[in-house]
Amino acid sequence: MPTQIRLYLLLALTSGLNLFGADFAMTVTDKNYLDTQGFSVFLYDSTYHPVFVDQKNTAMEMILHGQRIATNGDVRLMPTPEQWDLVATLNGRQADKANNRLTANLAFPTFDLSYTLEVAAEPGGVKVSINLDKPLPQKLAGRAGFNLEFLPSLYMGKAYLVDGTKAGIFPRTPNDPMTKVLPLADEPKEAYYLEDWNKAKGYTQPLPVAQGKSITLGVDDALARVNVMSDTADLMLFDGRDRAQNGWFVLRSLIPSGITTGAIVWHIRPDVIPNWTRPPMIAHSQVGYAPGFSKVAILELDPKYNGPKTAKVLRLAEDGSYKQVFEGPITAATPWLRYVYSKFDFTPVKEPGLYVIEYAEQRTAPFPIAKDAYAHIWQDSLDHHLAEQMDHVSVREAYRVWHGASHLDDGRLAPVVGEQFDGWNQATATDGKWKGGDHIPGMNVGGWYDAGDFDLEEPAQLSVIQSLALAYREFNLKYDELTVDEAARQVEMHRPDGVPDTVQQVKHGALLILAQFKNFGHAIRGTHEPDLRQYTHLGDGASKTDGRIYDPKLRPNEVKGDYSGKPDDRWIFSTTNPFFEWNAIAALAAAADVLNGWDDALAKDCLQTAIKAWNDEKAHPTPMPGREGLGGGAPENANGGVLAASQGAVSQGQGGRNRRGTSGAPTSSGTTSAQTAPPPGVGRRGFGVGQDWAAALELTIATNGADPYKSRLKELLPEVIAPQGIGLRGWTAVRALPYLDQGAKDQLRDAVKTYMAGLDKELDATPFGVPPSLGTWGGSGAVVDMATRMYFLHKAFPDLVSPEYTLRAVNYILGTHPVSSTSYVAGVGTVSKTKTYSNNRADNAYIPGAVIPGYIIIKPDFPECIDDFGFLWFEDEAVVAGSASWVVAGNAADAITQELK
C-alpha cells in the first residue's frame, strides 16, 4: 500500500474506536468470494503455476484494508515450503451463497489423502476448517499441516502477541534454529535437479518462532492487525525467509491423527475498521508533462467513497509555498474490477514549473511541467540496467563494482537431453561436431543476463540488439556515458569513451550471436544454469562459477591452470527453431547497420553471417519443433501471459513451462521480447508464413534496398498489414516505406485507417486507455509496445494517428496506472519502484532503469503491485528486452514533445 494511503488511514483512525473483533458479517459475492467492507477472502480463484508452482498468489488469500496480507492457505507437508515443493491437487471448488461458505476439494493422491478446505463466514471474521475423508495416514503425522503465509514487508518490525501475553517482534532478518527434515519414503519422485538441489541445501527447516492457541499479528498496526485462534492443534509461527529470501511468515497447525471432521479449525478475526473505504489514489506521471500536450490524472476510488467533484493543481514556489493555479471537474466514475475511476484533465496548465495535484485533502509528490520532461527517462535503462546486466565483463560504477567478469567458463553443450527446469530443453545429444558435455570454445563473450537470474535467453538477446539498433538509427542516439572494453572485459559507468553506448551494447550482443553461428551454424536456445543452486543464486554473477573450464579428468576440487574438476560451467542449449533463426538474422543485419563506421570489420562479419544464414534458411528451412522444443517464453498474449506444458515431477497435478514472453516488448522488426512461438493471434499452422519479415526488413535496410530482401518485403506486405496485423508487426512496415513504391504507402495508409477505427474501443477496456494486464505476468511491456508502435504510425501518418497515444502509454509506465502512482521504471520519477526482482533483490534494492512488469489481477478482481516488496516476479522482475524497448519508447516520447519547438 502506498505510504500516503497508509498515513491517511492512520490519521483517520485517531478519531475512531478500536472495535477489534467487531461482529461484522461476510457474504459470498457474485464473484464467489467472501467479502465485507474492508475485508475479503478468496479461495483458489488462482491455482499454483504450472512451471513455478508457488508464486504466492493462490489457495486461501486475505485482503485487509486494501492490502493482500496473506496467501497460500492450504495443507502443506513442510513448515516453510519452497517454490517447487509438493502441493495438493485441486479437484473442485464451490461457493455456497446460502450459507456464505467457500469450499475446495483437494488431495495428495500419492499419500491417499483427500480433504475439504472450508472457509465460512462467522461473526467478526471467518472459520477455516480442514475436513479429511479419512484419518490422516500415519506417515504424514507431524508432517501434514495447514499453512497460511503472511506478507513479510507488511509485518517486519511489527509486534505480535501469543495467547495474549507472550510478545514478540517480527524480525527484519531471519535467524532461527534449523533442523533436518528428510523426504518421506513415499514422496513422488522429483525431477533429478530438484533432488540434487534439496541434497545440496541439506533438507533443513526452521523451528517455530512462537507457538500457542491464539496469535495476534500486527498488534501495533491498526491496518494490518488480525487475530487467529485454533480450536485444535497449536498455532506455530515460522519465518520462511530462513530458507529463501522470498519466503513469507508462515502460520501453521499440524493435522492431528485420528480426526476427520474439523481436523483443523481456525477462527480468523481481522480488526476491520467500521465503514472503511479505501482512500483515493491519484495516478499521474512522476516525471511530469510537456507544456503543449494532454495532462490527465486518473483517480482510483473506492465505490463507497463519497468525495469532491473537483480536483486542483497547485504550483510549488521557491519558498515552499503552494498556490492554486487550476481547479476542474472530475469525470463521472467508471467501474473496473473492484474500484471506480474518474479522470481529471488539467491540460490548460502549461506554464513551466513544479506542481502537485490535490484531491480530497491529499497532495501528490511534486512533478514538473517542462519542455524536456521526457528527455532523460530512458537513460538509466541504457546505462544502468542494461549495463549491469552485461555478461562476461566486469561492471564498475565509481567506488562500486556491480559484478566481476562472469561466466568465463561458458559453456558446455547441455549433457541432458529433454526438459530442464525453467522450461529449458535440449532436443538432441549432439549438434554438429559437438556432443553433450563438450566445452564449446568462444561462447564466453557478449550477451546480457536475462532478468533477475543470469540466463542468456536467446529471444531476449535478439530483442535487445534490434531495439537498441532501432533507437540508435531512429533518434541518432549518440549518448555516451559508458566505457566498454571488450578485450579487457571491463565496463565502467559515468565514463564516456567516445563511442555511443547504443553502439557498444549492440556490439556486445552481436558478439554472442556470432559465436553461436561460428560454433553451431545457427541460432540457439541460449545458455542456462546447470542446477538450481546456481539458478537461485543472488548477488555477483562472477561468484556463481569458478571461471575455469570443467575437465572431467580432474578431481572435484582440483585446479590446473584455466581448468578445474568442478562441473559448474553453464549449459548451452543448442535447440533451435525458425523463429530464433530468422530473428537472429534480423538482429545481425541490424547490428551490421549500426556498427558500420564504428567497427567495420565486425559490421562486415555480422552482415555476411546474416546473408549466409538467410540463404541457408531459404535452401534448408529449420523445422518447427514440437511444443516441447520451443523452450521458454512462449507468450499467451502480448500482455505477458505464458502457455503451459509439462515440466516433470514438480507437483501432483501441476506441470508447465517457462514464464517469459513476459514483457511483450517490441523489437524494431515487430516481434515481442522473449517471443519463441507464434506471435499473438498467429496460429501454429500459420507460423511459417511471413516469419522472415523481420530479417527481410533489416537486410533491406543494411544493404540499402538490395534484392532478394526488398522483393520479399513487397511480397509480404499485404499479409503483414492485413486486419489485426498492424498491432502485431504491421506497424514496422513504416520503416520499409523508403524502399517501397507509392502504392505500398497507400496500402499501409488504408490499413492504418482500419486499425485506428477500432483502436479506441479496444483501449477503452480499462480506464487507462492502454492494453490491460490480464496474464500471469504484469503487462507493462504491452504498453511500451503501444508507445513505440503509435510513435511510428504517427510519424508516417500524422493526420491519422495522434501523438497522444505514445504519451499516454509512456505516462502510464511513469505512474498513471492502477494501485499506486509509483513509476514502473526503477529510480525514474519523483516516486518510483525501489525494490525490484533483480539479482540484487536479497538486499531489498533495485537496479536503476529496470522496468518492472507492473500490476496483475489477483483473481477475481484485485489489482496488485506492492510498492515495498520486490520478491513477486510477476510484478517486479525486469527483463533486459523490456529495458531496451523502453529506450525506444522514452526517446519516442521526447521526440514527439519536441515537435512543437
Side-chain angles (χ1 to χ4, degrees):
M1 180 183 294
T3 300
Q4 65 181 33
I5 292 181
R6 296 188 63 79
L7 292 173
Y8 180 97
L9 288 172
L10 288 168
L11 290 172
L13 286 173
T14 59
S15 61
L17 297 175
N18 179 8
L19 299 178
F20 185 76
D23 288 346
F24 58 82
M26 302 192 77
T27 58
V28 172
T29 69
D30 291 339
K31 295 181 179 177
N32 294 330
Y33 62 85
L34 282 163
D35 190 57
T36 192
Q37 194 167 341
F39 183 54
S40 304
V41 179
F42 300 168
L43 185 63
Y44 272 110
D45 288 278
S46 299
T47 57
Y48 288 102
H49 192 275
V51 176
F52 301 98
V53 190
D54 181 2
Q55 292 201 121
K56 310 297 184 190
N57 65 346
T58 187
M60 178 185 170
E61 304 186 85
M62 301 194 305
I63 297 167
L64 178 61
H65 298 135
Q67 172 80 62
R68 187 168 62 107
I69 67 168
T71 190
N72 283 10
D74 198 357
V75 173
R76 301 301 299 268
L77 304 184
M78 291 284 188
T80 59
E82 285 188 82
Q83 182 176 332
W84 292 281
D85 283 331
L86 196 65
V87 297
T89 300
L90 177 65
N91 293 321
R93 54 189 287 265
Q94 302 82 37
D96 180 355
K97 290 186 177 181
N99 296 294
N100 291 313
R101 178 172 58 204
L102 308 175
T103 58
N105 307 110
L106 299 127
F108 288 88
T110 301
F111 297 108
D112 194 26
L113 174 63
S114 299
Y115 61 97
T116 298
L117 168 56
E118 180 181 293
V119 184
E122 64 178 7
V126 293
K127 175 184 175 182
V128 181
S129 306
I130 296 292
N131 303 305
L132 308 183
D133 290 357
K134 54 187 177 183
L136 186 73
Q138 184 58 39
K139 67 184 72 175
L140 293 183
R143 293 293 291 270
F146 180 76
N147 290 16
L148 184 61
E149 303 186 23
F150 289 83
L151 179 65
S153 62
L154 182 61
Y155 287 98
M156 283 189 304
K158 306 287 176 59
Y160 63 84
L161 274 175
V162 179
D163 295 333
T165 58
K166 291 178 283 186
I169 303 295
F170 285 99
R172 295 195 175 275
T173 302
N175 190 23
D176 302 300
M178 305 293 286
T179 187
K180 181 170 286 190
V181 180
L182 294 172
L184 293 165
D186 295 335
E187 278 194 32
K189 181 173 176 56
E190 297 179 313
Y192 78 91
Y193 46 80
L194 286 171
E195 290 183 354
D196 291 346
W197 187 45
N198 286 321
K199 287 178 184 176
K201 293 187 301 172
Y203 299 104
T204 56
Q205 287 283 332
L207 294 175
V209 177
Q211 185 167 343
K213 287 292 185 183
S214 172
I215 183 168
T216 300
L217 295 79
V219 176
D220 52 336
D221 186 345
L223 299 176
R225 186 162 51 239
V226 59
N227 174 261
V228 181
M229 183 178 68
S230 174
D231 287 350
T232 50
D234 277 359
L235 298 165
M236 296 179 288
L237 180 63
F238 294 89
D239 192 337
R241 301 170 303 158
D242 282 305
R243 295 188 69 210
Q245 276 84 2
N246 62 352
W248 291 33
F249 295 118
V250 182
L251 201 58
R252 172 176 171 86
S253 285
L254 289 172
I255 297 174
S257 299
I259 300 176
T260 53
T261 302
I264 295 288
V265 177
W266 285 9
H267 303 276
I268 300 178
R269 297 174 71 88
D271 190 1
V272 179
I273 300 168
N275 301 314
W276 179 85
T277 57
R278 183 176 183 269
M281 188 279 291
I282 307 171
H284 65 289
S285 167
Q286 293 291 342
V287 306
Y289 303 86
F293 293 86
S294 174
K295 305 171 191 69
V296 178
I298 298 180
L299 308 178
E300 185 175 75
L301 305 170
D302 190 303
K304 296 182 181 294
Y305 181 79
N306 185 19
K309 303 305 179 186
T310 63
K312 303 172 184 177
V313 176
L314 285 68
R315 183 164 183 162
L316 176 59
E318 281 185 294
D319 62 1
S321 62
Y322 290 88
K323 178 182 178 181
Q324 181 178 321
V325 296
F326 181 80
E327 182 172 7
I330 64 172
T331 62
T334 299
W336 184 63
L337 301 175
R338 65 169 45 204
Y339 303 124
V340 298
Y341 296 82
S342 294
K343 294 181 180 180
F344 171 53
D345 190 333
F346 59 104
T347 300
V349 182
K350 297 180 179 180
E351 186 70 22
L354 283 175
Y355 296 87
V356 298
I357 300 169
E358 185 175 86
Y359 177 76
E361 299 182 354
Q362 292 188 76
R363 285 181 180 175
T364 66
F367 58 85
I369 292 179
K371 293 181 179 179
D372 62 350
Y374 302 101
H376 308 292
I377 61 175
W378 52 271
Q379 290 174 354
D380 279 351
S381 298
L382 176 63
D383 283 344
H384 272 87
H385 188 231
L386 284 169
E388 188 281 335
Q389 297 288 104
M390 294 172 76
D391 201 356
H392 304 120
V393 293
S394 64
V395 180
R396 184 182 187 96
E397 181 183 19
Y399 299 168
R400 175 181 190 168
V401 175
W402 280 94
H403 63 76
S406 51
H407 308 116
L408 299 185
D409 43 7
D410 276 349
R412 301 168 65 205
L413 185 64
V416 176
V417 175
E419 189 135 16
Q420 184 78 342
F421 55 88
D422 204 14
W424 287 69
N425 181 283
Q426 177 64 14
T428 61
T430 62
D431 195 315
K433 65 182 180 180
W434 309 111
K435 64 181 184 300
D438 284 352
H439 174 75
I440 313 298
M443 295 292 288
N444 57 351
V445 294
W448 301 270
Y449 309 147
D450 172 48
D453 46 26
F454 298 87
D455 307 339
L456 296 181
E457 289 265 5
E458 185 79 355
Q461 313 302 311
L462 304 178
S463 179
V464 172
I465 293 169
Q466 292 181 73
S467 290
L468 294 185
L470 175 61
Y472 173 76
R473 292 174 292 178
E474 175 65 24
F475 305 109
N476 192 28
L477 201 58
K478 300 295 178 62
Y479 183 77
D480 175 24
E481 287 297 330
L482 291 178
T483 287
V484 179
D485 188 335
E486 293 286 356
R489 297 186 182 273
Q490 293 176 350
V491 173
E492 187 161 352
M493 300 175 183
H494 313 304
R495 186 179 173 184
D497 63 358
V499 182
D501 297 339
T502 45
V503 172
Q504 292 172 315
Q505 291 284 12
V506 166
K507 176 178 178 178
H508 192 68
L511 290 172
L512 177 66
I513 308 306
L514 286 172
Q516 297 170 7
F517 276 89
K518 287 173 182 176
N519 277 291
F520 298 103
H522 58 77
I524 65 172
R525 168 71 179 87
T527 305
H528 189 48
E529 286 73 23
D531 56 54
L532 283 171
R533 194 76 161 166
Q534 277 198 36
Y535 179 66
T536 54
H537 175 93
L538 297 178
D540 188 344
S543 64
K544 270 175 74 245
T545 73
D546 63 7
R548 294 182 171 89
I549 298 168
Y550 171 62
D551 183 349
K553 298 176 183 177
L554 300 177
R555 295 187 301 276
N557 294 312
E558 186 179 359
V559 173
K560 185 178 292 186
D562 292 334
Y563 296 84
S564 79
K566 190 174 183 180
D568 62 352
D569 307 18
R570 291 193 299 184
W571 291 1
I572 294 169
F573 289 74
S574 65
T575 302
T576 192
N577 66 47
F579 187 87
F580 292 164
E581 200 68 13
W582 284 116
N583 276 279
I585 294 168
L588 288 173
D593 197 37
V594 168
L595 293 170
N596 190 31
W598 296 102
D599 190 331
D600 290 340
L602 189 63
K604 181 179 179 181
D605 195 0
C606 287
L607 185 57
Q608 289 179 343
T609 302
I611 290 172
K612 181 180 185 302
W614 170 284
N615 294 334
D616 290 347
E617 194 64 16
K618 288 295 183 180
H620 307 286
T622 300
M624 189 66 188
R627 204 70 216 167
E628 69 283 353
L630 281 171
E636 176 183 282
N637 54 48
N639 303 315
V642 296
L643 297 172
S646 175
Q647 187 192 296
V650 173
S651 63
Q652 300 191 62
Q654 304 287 342
R657 274 223 355 268
N658 191 291
R659 69 193 179 277
R660 291 199 194 82
T662 55
S663 68
T667 69
S668 61
S669 306
T671 59
T672 57
S673 63
Q675 259 184 329
T676 59
V682 181
R684 286 185 56 79
R685 290 185 178 180
F687 182 55
V689 179
Q691 61 186 306
D692 55 340
W693 167 264
L697 175 59
E698 292 295 356
L699 279 168
T700 298
I701 295 171
T703 61
N704 197 27
D707 280 326
Y709 321 114
K710 185 172 79 169
S711 297
R712 183 59 173 157
L713 283 183
K714 294 178 180 178
E715 182 182 353
L716 289 174
L717 183 66
E719 173 197 330
V720 168
I721 65 174
Q724 303 304 316
I726 294 293
L728 297 175
R729 54 182 175 169
W731 62 270
T732 63
V734 167
R735 300 182 60 226
L737 289 179
Y739 307 95
L740 301 176
D741 56 24
Q742 183 61 41
K745 185 170 185 177
D746 293 341
Q747 289 181 59
L748 182 56
R749 181 179 181 84
D750 289 342
V752 172
K753 280 184 181 179
T754 302
Y755 173 67
M756 295 304 298
L759 180 62
D760 287 338
K761 182 178 180 181
E762 177 184 328
L763 296 179
D764 283 345
T766 80
F768 297 90
V770 298
S773 179
L774 301 178
T776 58
W777 192 276
S780 68
V783 182
V784 175
D785 185 348
M786 170 182 163
T788 299
R789 176 172 68 250
M790 303 311 288
Y791 163 80
F792 278 97
L793 294 179
H794 164 72
K795 181 182 177 183
F797 305 106
D799 58 321
L800 300 180
V801 181
S802 165
E804 295 290 352
Y805 289 99
T806 290
L807 297 183
R808 183 197 306 169
V810 167
N811 288 340
Y812 172 95
I813 298 296
L814 294 169
T816 314
H817 50 62
V819 186
S820 77
S821 188
T822 300
S823 168
Y824 285 164
V825 188
V828 174
T830 312
V831 179
S832 71
K833 184 70 169 162
T834 55
K835 293 182 180 180
T836 61
Y837 195 93
S838 302
N839 57 47
N840 61 346
R841 60 188 177 275
D843 301 320
N844 285 305
Y846 69 100
I847 301 171
V851 183
I852 66 168
Y855 85 94
I856 72 162
I857 299 169
I858 302 296
K859 297 177 182 177
D861 68 351
F862 183 69
E864 177 187 87
C865 188
I866 303 174
D867 280 349
D868 61 350
F869 190 61
F871 287 97
L872 297 176
W873 50 78
F874 47 83
E875 297 175 5
D876 303 317
E877 186 172 15
V879 296
V880 288
S883 291
S885 295
W886 178 248
V887 173
V888 181
N891 275 280
D894 185 47
I896 281 174
T897 57
Q898 302 312 310
E899 290 178 359
L900 294 185
K901 280 189 175 181

